[in-house]
Amino acid sequence: MAFRPALDKADRHITTGSDVNTSRPTTTAPQTTPAMPDPARFAAVVVTAAAEVLSGQRRADNLARWTTPELFAALARRAGLAKRLLGQAPTRPRPRSVHAQEPKRGTCEVTILLDDGNRVRAAAARLEAFRGRWLLAALEIA
């Protein structure tokens, strides 16, 4: 079933005999943006994965799809250094609380508390919308 809006009086055309109007008024569907995933849930998963990379429990390659190229390069460089200096951490970090807010359309700022059993760390992340999904663009872990 198709919906066609009523024509304006100026657009109406009366056809008689062989005078057939083959052109139809074109209508465009309203542009709808795909629903973005929940930024708090996405950030909890990706920031936890980034903390695991930095603690030597996960390979940095796992983050390539979910981060900007600049952040991925920085995380990969830091992960190698941290693993050589500190070794692998005994327990995996778990998100304790997540708070997200969207200061402007297409970006989201998230704060996360990560608990690794021995210590609770604060993390701040900036997400940017990219082709219907979120990308981790900036990350600070204290």
Side-chain angles (χ1 to χ4, degrees):
M1 175 182 257
F3 171 76
R4 281 187 280 163
L7 297 174
D8 292 337
K9 287 186 179 186
D11 292 337
R12 292 185 184 176
H13 186 293
I14 300 174
T15 60
T16 58
S18 64
D19 182 20
V20 177
N21 184 4
T22 58
S23 66
R24 288 188 176 169
T26 58
T27 60
T28 57
Q31 293 291 332
T32 58
T33 57
M36 295 290 288
D38 179 25
R41 176 177 235 153
F42 172 82
V45 170
V46 175
V47 170
T48 302
E52 290 173 355
V53 166
L54 293 172
S55 66
Q57 297 169 334
R58 182 186 290 252
R59 291 177 38 135
D61 297 343
N62 298 134
L63 293 176
R65 182 168 191 238
W66 308 110
T67 59
T68 60
E70 298 83 17
L71 182 61
F72 175 73
L75 283 171
R77 188 173 48 252
R78 279 272 178 112
L81 179 63
K83 191 169 185 176
R84 283 192 301 273
L85 293 177
L86 305 174
Q88 184 173 338
T91 59
R92 292 186 181 276
R94 301 282 177 233
R96 235 182 177 183
S97 70
V98 179
H99 298 282
Q101 65 179 11
E102 293 187 48
K104 65 179 183 176
R105 187 170 174 84
T107 62
C108 187
E109 294 175 351
V110 184
T111 57
I112 301 171
L113 290 179
L114 295 171
D115 186 358
D116 67 1
N118 298 327
R119 186 174 175 180
V120 176
R121 297 178 181 267
R126 181 172 180 87
L127 307 177
E128 294 178 355
F130 178 73
R131 295 184 180 175
R133 61 188 175 102
W134 293 111
L135 284 181
L136 185 63
L139 177 64
E140 291 285 329
I141 299 177

